[in-house]
Amino acid sequence: MDVRYRHVPVLADNYAVSAVFRGEATAREVIARRLEESQEKRRTSQPIAKSAGCIFKNPDSIPAGKLVDELGLKNCRIGQARVSEVHGNFLVNDGGATAEEMLQLIDRIKTVAREKRGIELETEVQIVGETA
């Protein structure tokens, strides 16, 4: 299977319903250390609030989170959907946010990025079941 960074071409028009992964034997201490390092990085750089993870792909010129921050959109909200104050590329649900609110917030961020910086942001998350 052709697997690329954040993209699997065969899954563009298909869904995976199961997978088999192969790994390498590694010392328990090494695994524990890697897990702790990964968790610490997330705790210090990503919001604790409910989110779908990174929303936008990074443009060539600037990381998406930094762009959103520079555009002054951290904490911007539509209804209960809000841009995280911790990381600009995370949208969080403050309780009861609708898909429509999330999509409107995504659209607002894309519009501001286009108008102020000439950058066309693309979503990294796949939007299904709703009009993108």
Side-chain angles (χ1 to χ4, degrees):
M1 181 178 277
D2 181 20
V3 178
R4 302 175 191 177
Y5 178 69
R6 297 184 180 186
H7 180 66
V8 180
V10 74
L11 296 179
D13 297 315
N14 302 287
Y15 292 94
V17 293
S18 68
V20 175
F21 297 91
R22 291 188 199 102
E24 301 173 3
T26 302
R28 186 178 298 250
E29 300 79 30
V30 173
I31 294 170
R33 187 184 78 247
R34 287 179 185 164
L35 284 172
E36 181 55 39
E37 288 169 357
S38 176
Q39 290 170 348
E40 181 61 23
K41 181 179 177 185
R42 284 194 176 126
R43 277 192 294 271
T44 59
S45 66
Q46 297 179 6
I48 296 170
K50 296 176 187 176
S51 79
C54 288
I55 297 298
F56 299 105
K57 295 177 184 177
N58 287 329
D60 292 334
S61 58
I62 186 172
K66 183 174 183 183
L67 173 65
V68 172
D69 187 16
E70 288 181 4
L71 292 170
L73 295 172
K74 277 189 175 180
N75 266 333
C76 174
R77 74 168 48 247
I78 292 179
Q80 293 300 306
R82 177 177 54 84
V83 178
S84 169
E85 72 279 356
V86 177
H87 193 301
N89 200 12
F90 282 74
L91 303 187
V92 297
N93 182 342
D94 283 336
T98 65
E100 184 62 30
E101 290 170 341
M102 287 290 188
L103 293 172
Q104 287 176 7
L105 187 54
I106 288 169
D107 189 53
R108 178 159 187 217
I109 294 165
K110 290 170 84 171
T111 298
V112 172
R114 183 181 321 105
E115 290 175 354
K116 290 190 174 183
R117 295 285 187 88
I119 296 174
E120 293 292 334
L121 285 173
E122 293 179 63
T123 57
E124 183 166 30
V125 295
Q126 291 182 356
I127 299 167
V128 296
E130 300 288 337
T131 305

